[in-house]
Amino acid sequence: MRAGVVVSAQPGVEDLAVQAEELGLHSFWVNDTPMVHGDPFIALGLCAKATSRIRLGIGVTSPALRSAPAAASGFAGLNALAPGRIICGVGTGNTARRTLGMRPTTVATLENFTAALQDLCAGRSTAYREGDQVRDIRLLHTGPHMNTTDPIAFVVAALGPKAAAVAGRLGTGLISFGLLDPTAWHALHNARRHAADGTPRDPDSYVVTALHILDEDEDPHGDAARDATGHLALSLLAFAADTAAETPAFVEQLSPSEREAVQRLLDRRGTTATAPDRHTKIYPGYLGRIAPQDRDLILPSLMNTLALVGTRDDLLARITTLEQAGITELLIQPVIDPPTEMAQLAKLLT
């Protein structure tokens, strides 16, 4: 299985990209969550100039964040800096919207947006709508300004069959966050294949997770493991806390101890599941290193579901199962010591 890394936009991000390339990692991704992280296009522009081989992805942008013309210009501009190395991840903007206190966009809007991006980034015209007005548009200054010749890879973020079907209809890859259940991946791939038009394709599938390789006799649920995986666990608890009132079915699927952790998170952040400003209390520090006082929220059940923690042999066995489910690339999101964690990933999969 191939390996890659996902980070937030930050000063020095290009140095991490250089190290990832030197380690032989396949791809380097930057988050697109404007209320939490820096701008991914700026970050990947720096990475594009500092590297020569590694693929560079934005994971993921959304029609809830950018118009198709603006996004296409950004991706085609990156493609001019790193020809043929750009990956465009697209999604409904779950976290990016919720950090604004808004709901994600619809899957139908995601599909239209992705199709428009595919057209524009390939130099084709596409229909652009504002209200009742519809115009055919295309990127006008291509060549040295924006590269529409070398292909850009597209992947759709999916946790369920509707988004996976979009990937099938548009011939894109898939990316999913914290989804380590092989059965769920078989379902996503079946949905993608069922929606495809029959054209032979072999699109990639990426899973984003965290990795912690246990030392001999190390507690798999000790502080070190919790710190390495806590950002994933807190992201799920934050989502549950934020959506408890509007989609109670999700919270009801959690175990009693996990539901209790959701409530403790709300209490600790000084908000409620119905407070209109809860997004300003729940999401600060999102996908960053957790505070020591929040370690008790990182339950073993969440760690086991969302992250890869174990001995080298345990992890390789689990990764093999994921590969058999059709995942082509394992992406880790390191927060403790990214250079060391990237090196551990490279060593594990080489």
Side-chain angles (χ1 to χ4, degrees):
M1 184 183 289
R2 300 190 317 238
V5 64
V6 183
V7 302
S8 59
Q10 56 191 289
V13 67
E14 67 273 28
D15 297 330
L16 290 177
V18 169
Q19 182 187 7
E21 182 169 85
E22 291 173 347
L23 287 169
L25 299 185
H26 181 262
S27 64
F28 187 89
W29 301 64
V30 179
N31 296 315
D32 191 8
T33 311
M35 295 296 99
V36 180
H37 302 130
D39 186 86
F41 289 94
I42 293 174
L44 285 190
L46 294 171
C47 296
K49 296 296 288 183
T51 60
S52 61
R53 177 198 58 80
I54 197 166
R55 305 198 74 181
L56 304 172
I58 289 182
V60 296
T61 196
S62 166
L65 299 176
R66 309 174 193 279
S67 68
S73 175
F75 282 106
L78 287 175
N79 202 27
L81 297 175
R85 293 197 282 136
I86 303 304
I87 309 171
C88 171
V90 289
T92 58
N94 186 57
T95 305
R97 290 286 289 170
R98 294 195 182 280
T99 52
L100 298 172
M102 303 293 178
R103 292 191 177 189
T105 190
T106 65
V107 171
T109 301
L110 167 66
E111 183 165 2
N112 292 335
F113 174 77
T114 306
L117 279 184
Q118 288 177 307
D119 284 339
L120 292 171
C121 288
R124 301 187 294 266
S125 64
T126 194
Y128 175 65
R129 177 184 296 273
E130 287 189 8
D132 295 332
Q133 297 185 77
V134 181
R135 299 288 187 270
D136 282 338
I137 62 170
R138 61 181 175 85
L139 294 176
L140 301 177
H141 289 178
T142 57
H145 301 85
M146 293 177 285
N147 179 359
T148 59
T149 301
D150 293 288
I152 292 175
F154 285 84
V155 297
V156 168
L159 285 173
K162 290 183 179 179
V166 171
R169 288 190 290 272
L170 299 182
T172 77
L174 290 171
I175 187 169
S176 199
F177 182 85
L179 189 66
L180 297 178
D181 179 3
T183 301
W185 273 102
H186 283 298
L188 290 182
H189 289 141
N190 286 338
R192 180 171 63 181
R193 283 191 293 269
H194 183 74
D197 60 7
T199 303
R201 298 187 181 102
D202 188 21
D204 290 321
S205 293
Y206 302 83
V207 63
V208 183
T209 186
L211 177 74
H212 183 69
I213 304 174
L214 296 173
D215 292 331
E216 187 176 356
D217 299 325
E218 181 183 351
D219 181 357
H221 303 129
D223 287 351
R226 288 173 189 254
D227 288 348
T229 62
H231 55 300
L232 297 189
L234 276 186
S235 72
L236 185 145
L237 294 178
F239 175 79
D242 191 14
T243 62
E246 67 184 62
T247 54
F250 177 79
V251 177
E252 290 169 2
Q253 294 176 2
L254 302 178
S255 70
S257 61
E258 291 167 350
R259 290 197 293 271
E260 181 186 1
V262 171
Q263 187 57 54
R264 290 208 311 276
L265 176 65
L266 285 167
D267 293 343
R268 198 167 292 180
R269 299 297 186 262
T271 189
T272 68
T274 57
D277 66 343
R278 63 187 181 275
H279 59 287
T280 66
K281 308 289 181 62
I282 293 173
Y283 291 106
Y286 184 80
L287 291 182
R289 183 169 184 166
I290 66 167
Q293 60 266 30
D294 285 334
R295 285 176 179 149
D296 64 301
L297 299 175
I298 314 307
L299 304 180
S301 60
L302 297 176
M303 297 168 65
N304 296 338
T305 298
L306 300 171
L308 294 172
V309 178
T311 66
R312 177 182 173 85
D313 289 343
D314 292 338
L315 294 176
L316 288 175
R318 196 171 178 188
I319 289 169
T320 296
T321 302
L322 294 172
E323 190 170 25
Q324 292 169 346
I327 296 174
T328 50
E329 188 157 343
L330 177 70
L331 304 175
I332 67 163
Q333 191 149 35
V335 297
I336 304 301
D337 182 359
T340 299
E341 292 175 76
M342 290 193 300
Q344 290 175 335
L345 174 66
K347 185 176 179 180
L348 180 67
L349 293 184
T350 57

